Amino acid sequence: MVKALIPMSRSLLAVYFVAIVSFTLTSNADEAILIATGGANGPKQPQAAISQNGIVHVVFGSGEEVSHCSSSDHGKKFSKPSVAFTIPNLSLGMRRGPRITAFGSTLIITAIGGKQGKGRDGDVIAWRSNDSGMSWQGPVQVNDSKDSAREGLHAMAVSSSGETWCTWLDLREQRTELYASSSSDGGASWTANQLVYRSPEKSICECCHPSIAVRDSSIQVLFRNSLAGNRDMYLTSWVRENSKSSLNSIQIGNEHWKLNACPMDGGMLAINADGSVSTVWRRGRQVYVATNNDSDEQLLGVGEQPWITSTLAGPIAIWSSRRDGELIMKNISSDNVMSIASKARDAVVVSEPEGGKTVFVFWEQNENGRSTIYAKAVEIAPL
């Protein structure tokens, strides 16, 4: 259970200075690699997944095209991106865009689009590959109420047994709710949709992306709520045991974000090896992290659009100081901090399978009006 947490009071400036020195002594980062470049319509919104054999898979959107590429040498080089499929009016930008999972040679990519677009319609559509992205089959619709995913925001994760879960902001009841579905056959079919969270007021936050993580029988979903005028983060723990399941939702953090608007910033979560759940999110102009133990909520710094992944060296978080600003990485279990890029937006970080020592960061960058996607491999030294 995640407990109510209290922000730490020490000076961020002092922490930042000490952390930079510590991290550079223990970690090694490769040079950034250009994965794709294009015009104003893309490439945009990279997402990544790593299979058990260490192949790094990347997906992104450009206009109505969803493209895929991969690396089999720990991120030293990536294959030339190829179009996996097209989808009309692909939802793209501000964390909208395709999602990917990898389980062995089976890949699943989901994206949201519709005939009209612009929030008037939209479904979660899944495509699958059984040969590591060489060929693709689909489409299969995930949401079972047509056009209910028209907000364009969703997330996906796969368990160690290959069960894939997808969650999205759903409008089938004319208010924003959180729904989920799963696939046990590599994305060929999906279960009847299940309600994850319904606000006791009207809607959950309408434009912040949800996040999902799966480990064994535990499914964890992070989303931004909208209650009593506050836009706070909530964690829904979904535990299945002996053919029974239970849902429990709790606010993350001890303070409220009073805001009569949507910040379009949904945070991220990771399930650690010991089963604890680490969450990272924005409140106001600051980014925080918390883990469901007795430790306090930790202030990471000023910024937005955070992401997190779990490693043997502890949870690794990234965030941007501002949109198109400095991209920063921190090892949550220590004071290790480093700068990844000088200007970045909507970055993600993924880690190698258990036992791996490398994390991979992907981000979108604007270069003289051209949208580009970069990657960087960072070796994380053990504590």
Side-chain angles (χ1 to χ4, degrees), residues 137-152:
Q137 297 83 47
V140 177
Q141 185 170 316
V142 178
N143 56 305
D144 54 22
S145 178
K146 187 168 178 56
D147 295 327
S148 64
R150 56 188 177 272
E151 184 55 49

Side-chain angles (χ1 to χ4, degrees), residues 1-309:
M1 187 71 67
V2 176
K3 299 184 178 181
L5 303 171
I6 303 173
M8 66 179 186
S9 59
R10 56 183 175 176
S11 167
L12 174 63
L13 181 60
V15 173
Y16 188 75
F17 177 78
V18 172
I20 288 179
V21 175
S22 175
F23 198 98
T24 54
L25 292 175
T26 57
S27 296
N28 177 55
D30 291 343
E31 292 298 318
I33 298 174
L34 176 64
I35 287 183
T37 185
N41 291 328
K44 294 182 178 181
Q45 304 296 292
Q47 291 282 327
I50 305 180
S51 61
Q52 292 91 332
N53 57 7
I55 297 179
V56 185
H57 296 276
V58 186
V59 66
F60 55 84
S62 300
E64 295 186 342
E65 296 179 343
V66 174
S67 296
H68 163 265
C69 65
S70 62
S71 172
S72 57
D73 59 1
H74 300 283
K76 293 181 175 60
K77 61 180 181 297
F78 286 81
S79 62
K80 181 180 179 180
S82 61
V83 177
F85 57 91
T86 61
I87 183 169
N89 296 298
L90 171 66
S91 293
L92 201 59
M94 294 303 294
R95 295 300 190 189
R96 294 177 177 87
R99 298 293 190 264
I100 184 170
T101 59
F103 183 76
S105 59
T106 298
L107 308 179
I108 302 175
I109 295 178
T110 51
I112 296 177
K115 293 181 180 179
Q116 302 178 71
K118 299 186 182 303
R120 292 186 291 265
D121 63 354
D123 297 307
V124 183
I125 304 299
W127 288 70
R128 65 193 184 279
S129 172
N130 295 318
D131 51 16
S132 296
M134 298 296 292
S135 61
W136 296 91
Q137 297 83 47
V140 177
Q141 185 170 316
V142 178
N143 56 305
D144 54 22
S145 178
K146 187 168 178 56
D147 295 327
S148 64
R150 56 188 177 272
E151 184 55 49
L153 292 162
H154 77 299
M156 191 168 54
V158 64
S159 73
S160 59
S161 64
E163 184 180 39
T164 303
W165 281 84
C166 182
T167 186
W168 62 94
L169 300 192
D170 193 280
L171 290 159
R172 69 186 65 192
E173 299 295 336
Q174 307 307 310
R175 61 179 185 173
T176 308
E177 301 171 332
L178 199 61
Y179 270 77
S181 178
S182 65
S183 174
S184 57
D185 56 10
S189 63
W190 296 80
T191 59
N193 298 173
Q194 180 163 343
L195 177 68
V196 177
Y197 184 87
R198 173 175 289 152
S199 172
E201 294 186 4
K202 186 178 180 182
S203 294
I204 62 174
C205 198
E206 301 87 352
C207 301
C208 286
H209 71 90
S211 300
I212 188 168
V214 183
R215 189 182 183 92
D216 301 325
S217 62
S218 174
I219 302 112
Q220 305 288 336
V221 182
L222 183 71
F223 67 98
R224 192 177 293 279
N225 213 340
S226 178
L227 291 175
N230 300 311
R231 301 287 174 138
D232 300 323
M233 301 303 299
Y234 272 63
L235 180 69
T236 294
S237 300
W238 190 348
V239 180
R240 297 172 298 169
E241 214 171 311
N242 298 325
S243 300
K244 297 180 180 180
S245 63
S246 60
L247 281 167
N248 182 50
S249 299
I250 187 170
Q251 180 192 334
I252 302 296
N254 194 41
E255 296 185 9
H256 297 296
W257 188 3
K258 202 76 173 179
L259 184 67
N260 187 26
C262 179
M264 303 185 78
D265 199 334
M268 185 57 180
L269 77 165
I271 303 177
N272 304 308
D274 62 0
S276 62
V277 181
S278 293
T279 57
V280 64
W281 73 96
R282 171 188 171 194
R283 187 171 66 228
R285 286 292 299 130
Q286 297 175 320
V287 175
Y288 295 87
V289 67
T291 299
N292 61 340
N293 53 29
D294 293 330
S295 63
D296 288 342
E297 177 184 85
Q298 181 181 345
L299 173 64
L300 293 179
V302 173
E304 58 185 69
Q305 299 297 336
W307 212 260
I308 196 168
T309 190

Side-chain angles (χ1 to χ4, degrees), residues 338-354:
M338 71 181 298
S339 179
I340 298 294
S342 60
K343 55 179 183 178
R345 63 171 65 185
D346 299 347
V348 299
V349 58
V350 294
S351 56
E352 288 184 314
E354 291 186 8

